[in-house]
Amino acid sequence: MRIDVLTLFPEFVDSIKEYSIIKRAIDEEKFTLNTINIRDFSKNKHKKVDDYSYGGGPGMVMTPQPLADCIESVKTENSFLVYLSPRGKKLTAKTSKSLASYEHLILLCGHYEGIDQRIIDLYVDQEISIGDYVLTGGELAAMVLIDSVSRMIPGVLGNKESADIESFEDNLLEYDQYTRPEDFRGMKVPSVLLSGNHKKIEEYRKESSFQRTLENRPDLLKNKK
Ligand code: ADE
């Protein structure tokens, strides 16, 4: 898979290539990640990429010319173009999984108050939001999307790491986990986890998952199969 990110801040997005599982996946050629600066495509003599909103109102809107030329420089018939925006459908594990199956993903990051609607009408396959809050731009949202999509690409996670991929698919949150020492400042690891009784351990973890979900995300239990 190839991911192209169209942004006004390429260095910001490039930073995720340097860390942890994403770095390893890129080094192992599980996917490639390129950033493209939208400003480089501006035909304005001052490289301007925004203008006032027709109809008035605060904030600037990204103009269509640099966006169209930037998109056309990377788009092919195999591309799927996602525009990150608070107006989009909310990102879920299911969306990430389906995005991971594309050969070429283009992620468009907006700034200012948004982008000219004609760019959305012409090129955007899916508008995605990462949550009900407004960020200063789409870059952090694109990075969140890349992280969650990359984990779904076959071979990116090792066997041990991939176990938790199913977690949201079950509509349950992760169970509580412990590592050494057995006693930390007088707080003991639950004895069942030291018992070696796998059936009991599984029961404990199921109950722990259920309790965390009930406490933090009761909405997930309504959707549970
Ligand atoms: N751009 C600004 N806010 C956003 C959000 N919540 N999700 C995706 N893109 C955004």
Side-chain angles (χ1 to χ4, degrees):
M1 168 190 260
R2 169 177 154 167
I3 304 177
D4 286 322
V5 185
L6 317 185
T7 166
L8 291 171
F9 301 103
E11 294 88 356
F12 184 27
V13 178
D14 277 334
S15 65
I16 64 166
K17 291 188 197 172
E18 301 304 322
Y19 301 96
S20 184
I21 290 170
I22 293 182
K23 177 172 172 30
R24 184 182 73 195
I26 291 171
D27 289 346
E28 291 176 358
E29 298 179 356
K30 299 288 192 293
F31 71 100
T32 57
L33 178 58
N34 305 300
T35 52
I36 295 145
N37 194 336
I38 298 164
R39 197 177 297 280
D40 290 344
F41 291 82
S42 174
K43 290 187 172 142
N44 176 278
K45 63 174 182 249
H46 304 295
K47 294 278 173 199
K48 215 167 108 88
V49 290
D50 60 327
D51 214 326
Y52 296 101
S53 181
Y54 274 125
M60 303 290 270
V61 178
M62 287 178 76
T63 55
Q65 177 275 315
L67 288 168
D69 288 351
C70 185
I71 291 167
E72 283 167 13
S73 76
V74 291
K75 195 172 161 63
T76 70
E77 64 268 35
N78 296 324
S79 308
F80 190 82
L81 197 148
V82 172
Y83 171 48
L84 286 311
S85 134
R87 292 199 328 187
K89 283 216 180 102
K90 216 181 279 177
L91 181 66
T92 63
K94 205 169 148 205
T95 325
S96 296
K97 200 170 188 176
S98 87
L99 291 176
S101 65
Y102 289 99
E103 208 172 288
H104 183 207
L105 268 189
I106 302 173
L107 307 182
L108 175 58
C109 305
H111 254 260
Y112 313 110
E113 296 306 305
I115 69 175
D116 191 289
Q117 181 61 34
R118 290 165 291 187
I119 292 297
I120 298 174
D121 296 343
L122 265 175
Y123 301 107
V124 172
D125 296 305
Q126 199 170 3
E127 212 170 329
I128 293 182
S129 164
I130 62 160
D132 293 340
Y133 38 81
V134 181
L135 303 166
T136 52
E139 284 75 15
L140 280 170
M143 290 189 253
V144 167
L145 188 146
I146 292 164
D147 192 293
S148 71
V149 168
S150 68
R151 303 173 80 257
M152 303 291 184
I153 298 172
V156 165
L157 295 186
N159 282 345
K160 276 190 187 155
E161 295 160 341
S162 67
D164 68 336
I165 260 191
E166 308 304 328
S167 122
F168 270 99
E169 286 178 9
D170 287 351
N171 282 305
L172 283 174
L173 302 180
E174 269 288 16
Y175 48 78
D176 299 354
Q177 300 209 68
Y178 300 85
T179 184
R180 281 186 281 198
E182 261 180 62
D183 184 324
F184 177 67
R185 298 185 180 173
M187 299 160 82
K188 303 230 168 48
V189 173
S191 56
V192 58
L193 298 177
L194 311 172
S195 69
N197 184 331
H198 295 295
K199 195 160 166 276
K200 283 257 157 63
I201 292 172
E202 201 182 315
E203 278 167 20
Y204 167 86
R205 287 182 164 165
K206 269 195 187 144
E207 180 59 20
S208 166
S209 276
F210 180 77
Q211 284 305 330
R212 287 298 164 201
T213 314
L214 191 62
E215 200 174 296
N216 294 336
R217 294 292 308 278
D219 56 303
L220 290 176
L221 294 174
K222 277 193 220 121
N223 301 327
K224 200 164 158 42
K225 285 160 241 160

